[in-house]
Amino acid sequence: MTAVQTPRVDSSAEASAVSKLVERVKRVVSSNPSVLPTVAAIVIFVGMVIYGEVAYGRIVQYNTLSNLLINNAHLIILAVGMTFVILTGGIDLSVGSVIALSSVAGVMLANAGWSPWLVMLLMVLIGTAFGLASGILIQYFNVQPFIATLAMMFLGRGLAALLSTQPERLADDSPILWLGEQFKVIDGEKVNDVVVTPGVIIALVVVLVAFFLLHRTRTGRTVYAIGGSESSSALMGLAVPRTKVLVYVISGTLAGLAAVVYTSRLGIAQNITGIGWELDAIAATVIGGTLLTGGYGYVLGSVVGALVLGLMNVLITRDGGIPPEMTTIITGGILLVFVLLQRAVTSKRHT
Amino acid sequence: MSTAARSSWLRELIRKPFFWGLIAIVALLALNVVKDPNYLAFSVNPTNGNLVGNLIDILRASAPILMIAVGMSLVIATGGIDLSVGSVMAVSGAVSMVVMKDAGQSGSLGVALGAMGLALLVSAVLGAVNGVLVAYVGLQPFISTLIMMLAGRGIAKVITEGQNTSASNEAFRWIANGFLVGVPVVFLFAIAIVIVVGLVVRRSALGLMIEAIGINPKASRMAGIRPSGLLLTVYILSAVLAGVAGIMSVGTVMTVDVSRTGYQMELDAILAVVIGGTSLSGGKFSIGGAVVGALLIATLDKTIVFLGISSSATPAFKAIVIVVLCLLQSERVRSWFVQRRKPPQGRMTSSLAPVKQENQEVTA
C-alpha cells in the first residue's frame, strides 16, 4: 500500500531506488524461497494499480483506496481465517454459508428487539459453533476437511433458508449499522477523502492479532508444523489435535465476525448472501502465497490477495465491457493460474 | 433348512452397506403414509394409460440424481471428488435451451437431438478440463472441481446472458415428462444408462482398475495401470452424466434457471454415494448402492416438501444425514460398537484403517 502512494520523484533517483528495492527483494527471496509467491502477489497488486490508473484513471486516490478497504473488510477477515486452515493443509468451504446464516439470524434477532451487542456476539458465536463442529468432525472422526466443511456449508445454507428466504432489512436506526458508518480521517478535495469504518478497523485488528498469533506464538508454529507434516508434529509432541480444531474454530469465528462487518455495511441479509465467498477467500489466500498443501504462507500475503480480488472487481466495473456474470469465471481462472504456479514452484523445490 | 436359508439370506442383506438406505426409504414412506394414508396409492390415468401416483413422482425425480450419483461413485472410487456436477448440469441445461431457442420454436426431433448432443459435448469438455487438471497437472481433485463448480455457474450465466431461458420442443420435453408403457421415460432412460455403465465397469477390468487407483495410485502404476487416462475418463464420464442430468431437469419445466438448476446437487451426489456404502476415501464403489442412495434422496426431497417444509431448507436435512453417515463410517464410532458387541471381528476394522494416508497421497 505504501509503495503505491510514494510521490513521484525525478527519473534517475527513482530508477536507483527501484533497483535498490529489487536487490533487497532478491536477497530476501534467495534466502527464503517460500516468500516468492507473496512477493509475486504484491507485484501483481502494484501492477494492477498502475494498469488501472493508466487505463481508467482515478485509482491512486484517497477515496478509491479507502473504498477498496471498506468494501473488502469482510473478505480480508475471511481470508485471514482461511489462511490458518490452509496452513494446516485443510480447507474450509463453509464460510460463505456461515455468513448467510449468521447475518440472517442476526438481522432477525435485532429486528425482534434484542440488544445489538448481544446480537453481534451471537452472530460471531454462530460462526464459532460451526467451526467447532467442523473441527471436531475432522480431528476426532477422521472426516476429510472438504467433506466436513461441505456438509457444514449446506447445513448453514439450509438453516438460513429455514429462517427466511426474503431479504431481511435492519431498521434504519439500528446501532449495528454504526459499524458500517464512514468516518473521515483526512479531508481531501471534494469527495477525495480518506475514510474508514469501524469494520475496516476490526479487519485491521484481526490481521494484526492473526499476524502475532501465527508468527510469534507457539500455537502459530504448531499450525505451520502440522501443514509441514502432521505425523512429525505429533511425534514431536506438539498439540496437534487441539490446534487442528482451533484453526477451524478461528475460521468459523472470523466468518461470524465477517458477517457482522458485512451486514453492518449493507444493512440487508438474505439466505443467498455469500454464495461463492469460500472461493474468494481461498483465492485470496492462494494468491497471497499460501500453499494449498499447507506449511507455507503469510497472513499479510492473504490480505494482499484479498485486495487483489477487490481491485479486480473495481477494474471490471470501471471497464464496463465485461459482463458481471464473468466475475466468478475470472476469479476461478485467477485461482487456477495461481494453483498451477504453486504446483510448478513446489515441484521444482522437490527435485 | 428353509429357515436357515432364509436367515442367511437376511444376514447377507443386512451386511450390504445400502441395507440401511433401504430401511430409510421404507421409514420415510411410512412417515408419508401416516400423514396421508393414500400416499402409496397407484392409479392409471384413463385417457393415456399412464401410471400416476407419488411413487411414480419419486422415480421421476430420482432420475437426475441417479445420473450424477453413478458418475460421482466412480470419481470417488478413484479417491477424488467432483464438486462441479451441479454447475455442469446448469451449463448443459443452458446450452440445450439456448440452442433450441435459437433454432426457432420448431418442435422437430433433429433440433432436440442437436441441442442434447451439443450440451453433452460441452459437458464432456468441462469434465475433460477437470480430468486434465487432476490427472496430468496433479492438482487436488476438490480444488480443480471447486473452481469448475463456481466458474461453471458463471459459464451457464454467460451462455444465457444471465437470463433464465425457456424454449419449447415436444421431443425434448418427452424425455423428461413422457411415458413409455405407463412408466416415466426419464426413469427408464436413467436405469438403462446405469445398467450400461454398471455392466461396462463390472464386466470388464475397468472397475477393478478404478478401484486400484483409489487404493494406491503408485502401486497400481507399478502393476501396469496408467492412472492418468483412467482418471481423465472418469471425470469426463461424471461430467457427461451430469450433462444428462441437466437435460432431464431442464426438460421437466423447459426452462433453465441459471442460478438454481443443479444448485447444490453435488451434495445429493455425495450423499447418494455415502448412503450406498462407498467410503469417501476411495478404493471401492457400488453402483447398486448409488441407486439406493439416489432413490432415498428423491424420497427425502419429496417427503420434506410433503411435510410442508420449504424446499430451499432441504440441504440442512441432507447435511445432517451426511454428517451422521460420515460419523458412522469413522473408526472411532465403529470402535465404540465393536467394543460393546465384542464379536470376533478383524475384518470390519481393517478395511477402515489406512484411510487418511491413502487419500493424502492421491491428492498431494
Side-chain angles (χ1 to χ4, degrees):
Chain A
M1 288 299 293
T2 48
V4 179
Q5 287 162 354
T6 33
R8 296 276 149 85
V9 247
D10 57 308
S11 59
S12 64
E14 191 182 330
S16 75
V18 165
S19 68
K20 233 181 242 171
L21 187 71
V22 169
E23 272 306 305
R24 265 186 73 184
V25 169
K26 260 187 194 165
R27 226 179 307 135
V28 172
V29 170
S30 60
S31 69
N32 183 7
S34 70
V35 299
L36 183 64
T38 312
V39 171
I42 297 171
V43 169
I44 286 168
F45 181 71
V46 174
M48 283 174 80
V49 169
I50 293 171
Y51 169 77
E53 181 66 32
V54 171
Y56 312 112
R58 290 185 292 115
I59 297 286
V60 188
Q61 60 178 12
Y62 288 150
N63 71 334
T64 310
L65 294 174
S66 35
N67 275 332
L68 189 63
L69 276 181
I70 291 170
N71 294 339
N72 293 291
H74 64 278
L75 183 56
I76 291 175
I77 297 175
L78 282 184
V80 168
M82 192 63 84
T83 310
F84 278 84
V85 176
I86 293 185
L87 277 177
T88 65
I91 195 99
D92 190 349
L93 301 180
S94 68
V95 289
S97 70
V98 166
I99 287 187
L101 173 63
S102 171
S103 26
V104 170
V107 172
M108 289 176 85
L109 288 178
N111 287 348
W114 288 45
S115 140
W117 295 108
L118 186 63
V119 166
M120 284 191 270
L121 182 68
L122 278 177
M123 286 172 80
V124 176
L125 286 182
I126 288 174
T128 311
F130 268 74
L132 187 64
S134 319
I136 289 175
L137 280 177
I138 291 160
Q139 174 57 38
Y140 295 104
F141 295 97
N142 260 338
V143 182
Q144 289 150 6
F146 66 90
I147 295 288
T149 55
L150 192 73
M152 287 298 143
M153 165 178 169
F154 289 110
L155 183 62
R157 197 62 72 194
L159 289 180
L162 208 53
L163 287 178
S164 162
T165 51
Q166 302 300 318
E168 296 288 327
R169 186 178 287 273
L170 270 179
D172 287 338
D173 57 347
S174 169
I176 296 176
L177 289 174
W178 176 80
L179 279 184
E181 221 162 81
Q182 306 195 345
F183 296 97
K184 242 180 246 184
V185 179
I186 297 176
D187 197 357
E189 283 171 49
K190 293 183 184 166
V191 291
N192 191 14
D193 309 323
V194 174
V195 283
V196 293
T197 59
V200 171
I201 294 170
I202 291 176
L204 294 180
V205 170
V206 164
V207 171
L208 289 179
V209 171
F211 182 85
F212 177 78
L213 196 61
L214 266 186
H215 299 298
R216 295 284 178 274
T217 65
R218 188 185 290 252
T219 310
R221 280 202 300 278
T222 311
V223 168
Y224 280 96
I226 292 175
S229 163
E230 192 176 331
S231 43
S232 308
S233 353
L235 287 175
M236 279 161 67
L238 298 176
V240 171
R242 202 183 59 200
T243 313
K244 257 178 87 185
V245 175
L246 181 71
V247 292
Y248 291 95
V249 170
I250 290 177
S251 171
T253 309
L254 289 183
L257 191 62
V260 175
V261 169
Y262 183 75
T263 316
S264 69
R265 179 161 67 83
L266 284 202
I268 302 176
Q270 204 182 348
N271 64 323
I272 52 168
T273 304
I275 290 182
W277 285 5
E278 50 284 336
L279 183 76
D280 287 344
I282 295 168
T285 312
V286 169
I287 291 170
T290 304
L291 285 193
L292 262 179
T293 43
Y296 295 93
Y298 302 94
V299 123
L300 294 182
S302 306
V303 175
V304 177
L307 292 176
V308 166
L309 288 181
L311 190 58
M312 185 191 81
N313 276 327
V314 172
L315 294 186
I316 288 175
T317 327
R318 289 278 171 87
D319 188 76
I322 303 169
E325 299 97 66
M326 292 285 286
T327 328
T328 54
I329 303 181
I330 295 171
T331 317
I334 292 179
L335 178 57
L336 184 60
V337 169
F338 274 85
V339 176
L340 292 177
L341 199 72
Q342 284 191 352
R343 184 79 198 153
V345 170
T346 47
S347 66
K348 205 178 282 172
R349 189 181 295 152
H350 285 309
T351 47
Chain B
M1 159 71 209
S2 72
T3 50
R6 201 186 307 146
S7 76
S8 83
W9 178 81
L10 249 178
R11 207 171 296 155
E12 196 67 18
L13 182 68
I14 292 176
R15 282 254 183 81
K16 291 273 185 214
F18 51 76
F19 172 72
W20 297 105
L22 290 173
I23 296 283
I25 294 179
V26 173
L28 283 175
L29 289 179
L31 185 66
N32 287 328
V33 170
V34 168
K35 179 138 194 247
D36 174 8
N38 292 325
Y39 190 81
L40 295 179
F42 274 105
S43 62
V44 176
N45 187 330
T47 51
N48 49 18
N50 296 334
L51 290 172
V52 284
N54 291 314
L55 288 182
I56 298 297
D57 280 348
I58 290 175
L59 287 189
R60 196 207 300 263
S62 71
I65 307 174
L66 262 178
M67 297 284 86
I68 55 172
V70 167
M72 185 70 91
S73 43
L74 295 183
V75 172
I76 287 181
T78 67
I81 189 106
D82 189 351
L83 299 179
S84 67
V85 284
S87 299
V88 171
M89 281 177 72
V91 171
S92 148
V95 169
S96 50
M97 281 299 145
V98 167
V99 167
M100 285 189 292
K101 200 176 178 204
D102 288 352
Q105 304 290 4
S106 79
S108 81
L109 181 65
V111 172
L113 287 179
M116 282 183 245
L118 193 63
L120 294 185
L121 188 69
V122 173
S123 309
V125 169
L126 296 185
V129 172
N130 281 336
V132 166
L133 290 178
V134 173
Y136 294 96
V137 184
L139 292 186
Q140 290 133 303
F142 80 87
I143 199 77
S144 340
T145 55
L146 180 74
I147 295 172
M148 189 56 80
M149 162 180 164
L150 289 140
R153 212 156 274 287
I155 294 171
K157 283 181 185 164
V158 168
I159 290 172
T160 65
E161 290 163 346
Q163 306 299 313
N164 298 342
T165 307
S166 308
S168 66
N169 184 314
E170 270 315 304
F172 194 93
R173 224 179 93 83
W174 179 76
I175 288 189
N177 292 343
F179 284 83
L180 204 63
V181 284
V183 185
V185 176
V186 66
F187 184 71
L188 294 175
F189 198 58
I191 281 292
I193 292 180
V194 169
I195 290 174
V196 168
V197 172
L199 284 180
V200 167
V201 292
R202 279 312 182 197
R203 293 285 160 209
S204 71
L206 202 60
L208 205 63
M209 293 198 279
I210 287 173
E211 293 182 326
I213 298 176
I215 294 168
N216 190 334
K218 253 183 215 157
S220 56
R221 196 168 55 236
M222 286 170 185
I225 298 171
R226 300 179 60 178
S228 324
L230 268 178
L231 280 176
L232 183 62
T233 316
V234 166
Y235 281 94
I236 292 179
L237 183 65
S238 167
V240 169
L241 288 177
V244 175
I247 290 173
M248 289 172 171
S249 69
V250 296
T252 332
V253 281
M254 290 309 280
T255 302
V256 60
D257 179 340
V258 277
S259 52
R260 292 212 73 87
T261 298
Y263 181 58
Q264 297 184 333
M265 284 296 265
E266 49 284 344
L267 182 76
D268 285 353
I270 295 170
L271 190 53
V273 171
V274 184
I275 291 170
T278 302
S279 149
L280 284 175
S281 38
K284 59 170 183 170
F285 68 88
S286 147
I287 300 278
V291 172
V292 172
L295 287 173
L296 174 55
I297 293 166
T299 317
L300 182 67
D301 276 339
K302 290 278 173 195
T303 306
I304 287 173
V305 175
F306 189 67
L307 293 179
I309 301 167
S310 155
S311 65
S312 51
T314 48
F317 297 95
K318 291 180 188 168
I320 292 170
V321 174
I322 212 169
V323 166
V324 170
L325 286 170
C326 280
L327 287 180
L328 289 179
Q329 276 191 2
S330 85
E331 220 175 313
R332 183 174 290 257
V333 175
R334 292 230 174 171
S335 73
W336 293 343
F337 285 106
V338 171
Q339 272 170 8
R340 204 167 299 164
R341 275 198 232 136
K342 289 197 176 150
Q345 276 177 341
R347 228 182 310 163
M348 218 174 163
T349 43
S350 70
S351 66
L352 298 158
V355 162
K356 245 194 108 72
Q357 255 90 25
E358 297 296 350
N359 198 56
Q360 268 171 355
E361 225 159 352
V362 178
T363 52

